[in-house]
Amino acid sequence: FCLHGFRKKKERNSRLKNDTFLRAARGEDTEHVPVWCMRQAGRYLPEFREWREGKDFFETCRSPEICCELTLQPLRRFPLDAAIIFSDILVVPQAMGMNVQMLTGKGPTFTEPLKEPEDLERLQAKVDVQKELGYVFKAITLTRHKLEGKVPLIGFTGAPWTLMSYMIEGGGSVTQSKAKRWLYRHPEASHMLLKMLADVIVEYLLGQVTAGAQALQVFESHAGILGPAQFKEFSLPYLRDIARRVKDRLKEPGQDVPMIVFAKDAHYGLEDLSQSHYEVVGLDWTIDPQSARERTGGKVSLQGNMDPCALYAPKVTLGAFLPLKATLLCSLTITFHFLT
Protein backbone atom coordinates (compact mmCIF):
# COMPACT_ATOMS: atom_id res chain seq x y z
CA PHE A 1 0.00 0.00 0.00
CA CYS A 2 2.96 2.33 -0.59
CA LEU A 3 1.69 5.69 -1.77
CA HIS A 4 4.69 6.18 -4.05
CA GLY A 5 3.71 3.00 -5.84
CA PHE A 6 0.14 4.21 -6.03
CA ARG A 7 1.13 7.56 -7.51
CA LYS A 8 3.69 6.30 -10.01
CA LYS A 9 1.73 3.31 -11.20
CA LYS A 10 -1.81 4.62 -11.06
CA GLU A 11 -1.68 8.40 -11.45
CA ARG A 12 -1.98 8.21 -15.24
CA ASN A 13 -5.06 6.00 -14.98
CA SER A 14 -6.72 7.54 -11.91
CA ARG A 15 -7.50 10.98 -13.28
CA LEU A 16 -10.88 11.92 -11.85
CA LYS A 17 -13.80 11.28 -14.15
CA ASN A 18 -16.10 13.27 -11.85
CA ASP A 19 -14.46 16.15 -9.96
CA THR A 20 -17.71 18.06 -9.35
CA PHE A 21 -17.46 17.71 -5.58
CA LEU A 22 -13.89 19.02 -5.43
CA ARG A 23 -14.66 21.95 -7.74
CA ALA A 24 -17.67 22.93 -5.63
CA ALA A 25 -15.59 22.65 -2.47
CA ARG A 26 -13.14 25.14 -3.95
CA GLY A 27 -15.95 27.54 -4.82
CA GLU A 28 -15.93 26.89 -8.56
CA ASP A 29 -19.02 26.71 -10.77
CA THR A 30 -20.36 23.20 -11.39
CA GLU A 31 -22.88 21.71 -13.80
CA HIS A 32 -24.95 20.23 -10.98
CA VAL A 33 -25.07 20.22 -7.20
CA PRO A 34 -22.72 17.47 -5.99
CA VAL A 35 -24.31 14.96 -3.64
CA TRP A 36 -22.85 12.58 -1.09
CA CYS A 37 -24.14 11.16 2.20
CA MET A 38 -22.47 11.24 5.58
CA ARG A 39 -23.96 7.82 6.35
CA GLN A 40 -23.21 6.72 2.83
CA ALA A 41 -22.43 3.17 3.92
CA GLY A 42 -25.01 1.96 6.38
CA ARG A 43 -27.79 -0.33 7.48
CA TYR A 44 -30.20 0.89 4.80
CA LEU A 45 -28.22 -1.29 2.37
CA PRO A 46 -28.96 -5.04 2.61
CA GLU A 47 -25.48 -5.84 1.32
CA PHE A 48 -24.02 -3.73 4.13
CA ARG A 49 -26.01 -5.67 6.72
CA GLU A 50 -24.85 -8.92 5.14
CA TRP A 51 -21.17 -7.94 5.30
CA ARG A 52 -21.48 -6.67 8.87
CA GLU A 53 -23.49 -9.60 10.26
CA GLY A 54 -21.73 -11.36 13.10
CA LYS A 55 -18.65 -9.15 12.92
CA ASP A 56 -17.29 -6.91 15.65
CA PHE A 57 -17.59 -3.30 14.56
CA PHE A 58 -14.03 -2.21 15.27
CA GLU A 59 -12.61 -5.44 13.85
CA THR A 60 -14.45 -4.44 10.68
CA CYS A 61 -12.85 -0.99 10.84
CA ARG A 62 -9.42 -2.63 11.10
CA SER A 63 -9.89 -4.65 7.89
CA PRO A 64 -8.83 -2.56 4.86
CA GLU A 65 -10.52 -4.98 2.48
CA ILE A 66 -13.89 -4.85 4.26
CA CYS A 67 -13.72 -1.06 4.70
CA CYS A 68 -13.02 -0.71 0.98
CA GLU A 69 -16.00 -2.92 0.08
CA LEU A 70 -18.37 -1.05 2.41
CA THR A 71 -17.17 2.29 1.03
CA LEU A 72 -17.86 1.21 -2.55
CA GLN A 73 -21.29 -0.39 -2.00
CA PRO A 74 -23.37 2.83 -2.17
CA LEU A 75 -21.61 3.89 -5.38
CA ARG A 76 -22.83 0.74 -7.10
CA ARG A 77 -26.42 1.78 -6.42
CA PHE A 78 -26.46 5.58 -6.63
CA PRO A 79 -24.81 8.23 -8.86
CA LEU A 80 -23.05 9.93 -5.96
CA ASP A 81 -20.34 12.55 -6.48
CA ALA A 82 -17.96 11.42 -3.73
CA ALA A 83 -17.11 8.47 -1.53
CA ILE A 84 -16.28 8.70 2.17
CA ILE A 85 -14.04 6.05 3.66
CA PHE A 86 -15.74 3.60 6.01
CA SER A 87 -14.26 4.10 9.47
CA ASP A 88 -15.16 5.68 12.81
CA ILE A 89 -14.09 8.77 14.70
CA LEU A 90 -13.32 6.74 17.83
CA VAL A 91 -10.29 5.05 16.29
CA VAL A 92 -8.34 8.09 17.53
CA PRO A 93 -9.03 7.48 21.26
CA GLN A 94 -8.24 3.82 20.61
CA ALA A 95 -4.88 4.83 19.14
CA MET A 96 -4.23 6.80 22.33
CA GLY A 97 -4.69 3.68 24.44
CA MET A 98 -8.37 3.71 25.35
CA ASN A 99 -10.54 0.62 25.05
CA VAL A 100 -13.75 1.25 23.07
CA GLN A 101 -16.38 -1.31 22.22
CA MET A 102 -19.46 -1.01 20.02
CA LEU A 103 -22.25 -2.69 21.97
CA THR A 104 -25.47 -3.75 20.29
CA GLY A 105 -28.34 -1.53 21.34
CA LYS A 106 -26.04 0.81 23.25
CA GLY A 107 -23.47 2.12 20.80
CA PRO A 108 -19.88 3.10 21.58
CA THR A 109 -18.79 2.28 25.12
CA PHE A 110 -15.48 3.10 26.83
CA THR A 111 -14.59 0.48 29.43
CA GLU A 112 -12.56 2.99 31.47
CA PRO A 113 -13.56 6.58 30.67
CA LEU A 114 -11.56 9.53 31.92
CA LYS A 115 -12.89 10.72 35.28
CA GLU A 116 -10.31 13.10 36.73
CA PRO A 117 -7.31 14.99 35.28
CA GLU A 118 -4.92 12.38 36.69
CA ASP A 119 -6.40 9.92 34.21
CA LEU A 120 -4.67 11.78 31.37
CA GLU A 121 -1.50 9.96 32.42
CA ARG A 122 -3.09 6.78 31.05
CA LEU A 123 -3.15 8.20 27.53
CA GLN A 124 -0.49 7.75 24.90
CA ALA A 125 0.21 11.39 24.06
CA LYS A 126 2.70 10.71 21.25
CA VAL A 127 1.02 8.38 18.80
CA ASP A 128 2.75 6.67 15.90
CA VAL A 129 -0.19 6.99 13.50
CA GLN A 130 1.39 4.64 10.95
CA LYS A 131 1.57 1.92 13.58
CA GLU A 132 -1.73 2.56 15.36
CA LEU A 133 -3.92 3.75 12.46
CA GLY A 134 -2.16 2.28 9.46
CA TYR A 135 -5.20 0.09 8.74
CA VAL A 136 -7.17 3.26 7.90
CA PHE A 137 -4.45 4.42 5.54
CA LYS A 138 -4.37 0.99 3.84
CA ALA A 139 -8.15 1.11 3.43
CA ILE A 140 -7.90 4.54 1.80
CA THR A 141 -5.18 3.48 -0.63
CA LEU A 142 -7.00 0.29 -1.55
CA THR A 143 -10.24 2.21 -2.09
CA ARG A 144 -8.50 4.78 -4.30
CA HIS A 145 -7.28 1.89 -6.46
CA LYS A 146 -10.74 0.35 -6.65
CA LEU A 147 -12.46 3.66 -7.42
CA GLU A 148 -10.32 4.03 -10.53
CA GLY A 149 -10.97 7.77 -10.60
CA LYS A 150 -14.77 7.47 -10.62
CA VAL A 151 -15.26 10.01 -7.81
CA PRO A 152 -13.03 11.60 -5.15
CA LEU A 153 -12.50 9.92 -1.79
CA ILE A 154 -13.12 11.81 1.46
CA GLY A 155 -11.18 11.08 4.64
CA PHE A 156 -12.35 12.28 8.04
CA THR A 157 -11.79 12.61 11.75
CA GLY A 158 -13.66 13.64 14.84
CA ALA A 159 -12.75 17.04 16.27
CA PRO A 160 -11.02 17.37 19.66
CA TRP A 161 -14.04 18.48 21.70
CA THR A 162 -16.28 15.75 20.29
CA LEU A 163 -13.66 13.08 20.99
CA MET A 164 -12.98 14.49 24.45
CA SER A 165 -16.66 14.32 25.33
CA TYR A 166 -16.83 10.64 24.39
CA MET A 167 -13.65 9.85 26.30
CA ILE A 168 -15.08 11.39 29.47
CA GLU A 169 -18.75 10.42 29.13
CA GLY A 170 -17.82 6.86 28.26
CA GLY A 171 -20.37 6.77 25.45
CA GLY A 172 -23.28 8.72 24.09
CA SER A 173 -24.91 11.38 26.26
CA VAL A 174 -27.74 13.86 25.83
CA THR A 175 -26.36 16.53 28.17
CA GLN A 176 -22.60 15.80 28.04
CA SER A 177 -22.63 16.89 31.69
CA LYS A 178 -19.54 14.90 32.71
CA ALA A 179 -17.48 16.36 29.88
CA LYS A 180 -18.78 19.89 30.47
CA ARG A 181 -17.94 19.51 34.15
CA TRP A 182 -14.31 19.21 33.07
CA LEU A 183 -14.54 22.48 31.14
CA TYR A 184 -15.79 24.31 34.23
CA ARG A 185 -13.78 22.57 36.95
CA HIS A 186 -10.63 21.55 35.09
CA PRO A 187 -10.06 24.05 32.28
CA GLU A 188 -6.28 23.53 32.21
CA ALA A 189 -6.59 19.76 32.01
CA SER A 190 -9.29 20.18 29.37
CA HIS A 191 -6.98 22.25 27.20
CA MET A 192 -4.20 19.71 27.77
CA LEU A 193 -6.44 16.89 26.51
CA LEU A 194 -7.74 18.94 23.58
CA LYS A 195 -4.18 19.76 22.51
CA MET A 196 -3.15 16.11 22.78
CA LEU A 197 -6.06 15.17 20.55
CA ALA A 198 -5.33 17.95 18.05
CA ASP A 199 -1.71 16.79 17.73
CA VAL A 200 -2.79 13.22 16.93
CA ILE A 201 -5.54 14.41 14.56
CA VAL A 202 -3.12 16.53 12.50
CA GLU A 203 -0.83 13.54 11.91
CA TYR A 204 -3.84 11.30 11.26
CA LEU A 205 -5.26 13.62 8.60
CA LEU A 206 -1.88 14.04 6.92
CA GLY A 207 -1.55 10.26 6.85
CA GLN A 208 -4.93 10.01 5.16
CA VAL A 209 -3.83 12.45 2.45
CA THR A 210 -0.60 10.55 1.94
CA ALA A 211 -2.67 7.37 1.56
CA GLY A 212 -4.85 8.99 -1.11
CA ALA A 213 -7.68 10.98 0.50
CA GLN A 214 -8.67 13.85 -1.81
CA ALA A 215 -10.70 15.85 0.72
CA LEU A 216 -10.92 15.89 4.52
CA GLN A 217 -13.86 16.47 6.85
CA VAL A 218 -13.62 17.30 10.55
CA PHE A 219 -16.71 16.33 12.54
CA GLU A 220 -17.43 18.54 15.56
CA SER A 221 -20.64 16.63 16.17
CA HIS A 222 -21.07 17.82 19.75
CA ALA A 223 -20.53 21.52 19.10
CA GLY A 224 -24.16 22.35 19.85
CA ILE A 225 -23.89 21.23 23.47
CA LEU A 226 -21.53 24.18 24.03
CA GLY A 227 -22.62 27.77 24.35
CA PRO A 228 -20.93 30.49 22.27
CA ALA A 229 -18.33 31.31 24.95
CA GLN A 230 -17.31 27.69 25.53
CA PHE A 231 -17.28 27.02 21.79
CA LYS A 232 -14.83 29.89 21.28
CA GLU A 233 -12.59 28.65 24.08
CA PHE A 234 -12.70 24.87 23.83
CA SER A 235 -13.65 24.05 20.23
CA LEU A 236 -12.92 26.79 17.72
CA PRO A 237 -9.20 27.30 18.51
CA TYR A 238 -8.51 23.60 17.97
CA LEU A 239 -10.55 23.43 14.76
CA ARG A 240 -8.52 26.36 13.42
CA ASP A 241 -5.24 24.90 14.62
CA ILE A 242 -5.88 21.56 12.91
CA ALA A 243 -6.75 23.14 9.55
CA ARG A 244 -3.84 25.59 9.67
CA ARG A 245 -1.26 22.94 10.56
CA VAL A 246 -2.52 20.44 8.00
CA LYS A 247 -2.49 23.06 5.24
CA ASP A 248 0.96 24.31 6.22
CA ARG A 249 2.34 20.79 5.97
CA LEU A 250 0.59 20.14 2.65
CA LYS A 251 2.09 23.29 1.11
CA GLU A 252 5.52 21.68 1.05
CA PRO A 253 4.61 18.96 -1.50
CA GLY A 254 2.17 21.37 -3.18
CA GLN A 255 -0.95 19.33 -2.41
CA ASP A 256 -4.37 20.97 -2.67
CA VAL A 257 -6.83 19.08 -0.46
CA PRO A 258 -10.10 20.84 0.43
CA MET A 259 -11.07 20.69 4.09
CA ILE A 260 -14.60 20.68 5.48
CA VAL A 261 -15.68 21.53 9.01
CA PHE A 262 -19.06 20.40 10.30
CA ALA A 263 -19.90 21.82 13.72
CA LYS A 264 -23.41 20.52 14.28
CA ASP A 265 -25.84 22.97 15.92
CA ALA A 266 -23.16 25.66 16.22
CA HIS A 267 -25.26 28.20 14.31
CA TYR A 268 -23.82 30.95 16.50
CA GLY A 269 -20.35 30.19 15.16
CA LEU A 270 -20.88 30.47 11.40
CA GLU A 271 -18.91 33.69 11.03
CA ASP A 272 -15.98 32.29 12.98
CA LEU A 273 -16.07 28.96 11.16
CA SER A 274 -15.96 30.73 7.79
CA GLN A 275 -12.64 32.25 8.83
CA SER A 276 -11.03 29.08 10.16
CA HIS A 277 -8.94 27.92 7.16
CA TYR A 278 -11.58 25.48 5.85
CA GLU A 279 -12.85 25.70 2.28
CA VAL A 280 -16.27 24.29 3.22
CA VAL A 281 -18.56 24.80 6.21
CA GLY A 282 -21.23 22.16 6.80
CA LEU A 283 -24.72 23.28 7.81
CA ASP A 284 -27.29 21.30 9.72
CA TRP A 285 -30.99 21.53 8.87
CA THR A 286 -31.74 24.15 11.55
CA ILE A 287 -29.84 26.84 9.62
CA ASP A 288 -31.42 28.84 6.80
CA PRO A 289 -29.00 28.57 3.85
CA GLN A 290 -29.58 32.09 2.59
CA SER A 291 -28.88 33.47 6.05
CA ALA A 292 -25.76 31.29 6.25
CA ARG A 293 -24.56 32.62 2.90
CA GLU A 294 -24.99 36.20 4.08
CA ARG A 295 -23.31 35.55 7.41
CA THR A 296 -20.31 33.80 5.87
CA GLY A 297 -19.93 36.52 3.24
CA GLY A 298 -19.12 34.18 0.37
CA LYS A 299 -15.79 33.24 1.98
CA VAL A 300 -16.51 29.51 1.90
CA SER A 301 -18.59 26.91 0.14
CA LEU A 302 -21.57 25.67 2.13
CA GLN A 303 -22.55 22.04 2.47
CA GLY A 304 -25.63 20.26 3.70
CA ASN A 305 -28.72 21.78 5.33
CA MET A 306 -31.05 19.03 4.14
CA ASP A 307 -32.98 17.29 6.90
CA PRO A 308 -32.39 13.54 6.38
CA CYS A 309 -35.98 12.89 7.44
CA ALA A 310 -37.08 14.84 4.35
CA LEU A 311 -36.49 11.59 2.48
CA TYR A 312 -39.73 10.34 4.04
CA ALA A 313 -41.62 12.95 2.02
CA PRO A 314 -43.48 12.10 -1.20
CA LYS A 315 -41.36 12.54 -4.31
CA VAL A 316 -43.37 15.56 -5.43
CA THR A 317 -42.73 17.35 -2.13
CA LEU A 318 -39.09 16.34 -2.11
CA GLY A 319 -38.65 17.47 -5.70
CA ALA A 320 -39.98 20.92 -4.84
CA PHE A 321 -37.67 21.11 -1.84
CA LEU A 322 -34.41 20.18 -3.54
CA PRO A 323 -34.05 23.27 -5.79
CA LEU A 324 -33.72 25.34 -2.61
CA LYS A 325 -30.38 23.59 -2.08
CA ALA A 326 -29.03 24.47 -5.51
CA THR A 327 -26.33 26.79 -4.12
CA LEU A 328 -24.99 24.16 -1.71
CA LEU A 329 -22.94 21.03 -1.84
CA CYS A 330 -25.75 18.71 -0.83
CA SER A 331 -24.67 16.33 1.92
CA LEU A 332 -27.93 14.51 2.41
CA THR A 333 -27.69 13.01 5.84
CA ILE A 334 -26.29 15.51 8.33
CA THR A 335 -25.89 12.98 11.10
CA PHE A 336 -23.08 11.56 13.18
CA HIS A 337 -20.72 9.33 11.21
CA PHE A 338 -21.13 6.18 13.27
CA LEU A 339 -21.63 3.23 10.95
CA THR A 340 -23.05 0.59 13.31
Side-chain angles (χ1 to χ4, degrees):
F1 294 99
C2 174
L3 175 69
H4 300 294
F6 170 78
R7 287 192 181 277
K8 290 177 182 177
K9 186 176 179 181
K10 298 291 290 185
E11 193 69 30
R12 295 189 301 274
N13 302 320
S14 62
R15 188 176 298 277
L16 272 175
K17 302 176 180 71
N18 177 358
D19 66 349
T20 309
F21 167 78
L22 294 180
R23 287 190 287 123
R26 297 184 181 111
E28 301 172 17
D29 291 334
T30 59
E31 297 76 20
H32 66 274
V33 178
V35 175
W36 67 283
C37 305
M38 290 193 190
R39 282 182 183 258
Q40 199 147 285
R43 288 170 290 181
Y44 70 97
L45 292 173
E47 57 267 38
F48 175 91
R49 296 195 299 272
E50 183 179 338
W51 272 78
R52 285 276 297 111
E53 187 175 5
K55 296 183 179 71
D56 176 79
F57 178 77
F58 286 109
E59 283 183 13
T60 298
C61 290
R62 287 188 284 271
S63 168
E65 293 77 14
I66 296 178
C67 288
C68 174
E69 167 62 22
L70 297 179
T71 301
L72 296 175
Q73 285 178 353
L75 297 170
R76 299 185 186 122
R77 284 180 175 259
F78 310 113
L80 298 160
D81 293 289
I84 182 166
I85 194 68
F86 179 89
S87 187
D88 194 272
I89 67 170
L90 296 183
V91 298
V92 171
Q94 285 181 329
M96 297 174 72
M98 298 195 76
N99 183 27
V100 191
Q101 302 172 357
M102 193 68 74
L103 302 182
T104 303
K106 187 177 181 181
T109 302
F110 287 71
T111 55
E112 293 185 71
L114 305 176
K115 294 181 180 180
E116 298 296 336
E118 303 80 62
D119 292 335
L120 296 181
E121 297 176 7
R122 292 196 276 119
L123 298 179
Q124 184 176 331
K126 300 291 184 181
V127 175
D128 181 343
V129 293
Q130 290 294 336
K131 177 183 176 183
E132 301 295 339
L133 296 166
Y135 58 87
V136 178
F137 306 150
K138 290 179 180 179
I140 288 172
T141 302
L142 180 60
T143 305
R144 274 292 303 273
H145 278 296
K146 296 289 187 180
L147 280 170
E148 297 182 325
K150 182 179 180 180
V151 294
L153 179 62
I154 304 169
F156 71 92
T157 182
W161 158 245
T162 294
L163 296 179
M164 171 182 168
S165 65
Y166 270 101
M167 293 162 75
I168 294 172
E169 294 289 339
S173 169
V174 176
T175 63
Q176 306 290 333
S177 60
K178 294 177 183 176
K180 291 185 73 175
R181 168 182 170 271
W182 270 56
L183 304 184
Y184 284 110
R185 297 192 63 175
H186 310 299
E188 290 185 8
S190 296
H191 280 297
M192 185 183 301
L193 175 54
L194 291 165
K195 186 181 185 306
M196 289 169 60
L197 285 162
D199 290 344
V200 177
I201 287 167
V202 167
E203 298 304 320
Y204 181 42
L205 290 176
L206 289 167
Q208 292 186 49
V209 173
T210 300
Q214 292 151 294
L216 299 169
Q217 174 147 321
V218 179
F219 285 86
E220 188 67 290
S221 305
H222 295 171
I225 205 71
L226 301 174
Q230 284 190 320
F231 177 75
K232 286 189 175 184
E233 181 176 356
F234 296 105
S235 173
L236 184 64
Y238 298 97
L239 292 172
R240 285 177 168 165
D241 180 57
I242 289 166
R244 179 186 56 77
R245 290 165 64 188
V246 168
K247 288 184 176 298
D248 284 348
R249 296 269 293 277
L250 290 179
K251 282 179 185 176
E252 298 169 13
Q255 292 174 289
D256 180 16
V257 179
M259 295 186 69
I260 308 160
V261 60
F262 177 51
K264 188 175 183 299
D265 294 327
H267 50 85
Y268 48 75
L270 277 179
E271 292 87 349
D272 288 325
L273 289 168
S274 70
Q275 301 176 64
S276 298
H277 313 293
Y278 293 86
E279 284 81 6
V280 183
V281 173
L283 307 178
D284 60 59
W285 57 91
T286 66
I287 301 174
D288 175 71
Q290 286 304 119
S291 171
R293 173 61 66 208
E294 293 168 6
R295 291 172 58 188
T296 56
K299 301 182 187 73
V300 292
S301 295
L302 299 177
Q303 171 181 278
N305 177 251
M306 184 174 171
D307 182 353
C309 290
L311 295 177
Y312 289 121
K315 286 186 178 180
V316 175
T317 306
L318 187 60
F321 177 72
L322 284 175
L324 298 177
K325 311 301 173 192
T327 60
L328 305 174
L329 286 76
C330 188
S331 177
L332 285 175
T333 47
I334 306 296
T335 49
F336 197 42
H337 198 72
F338 270 132
L339 306 174
T340 54

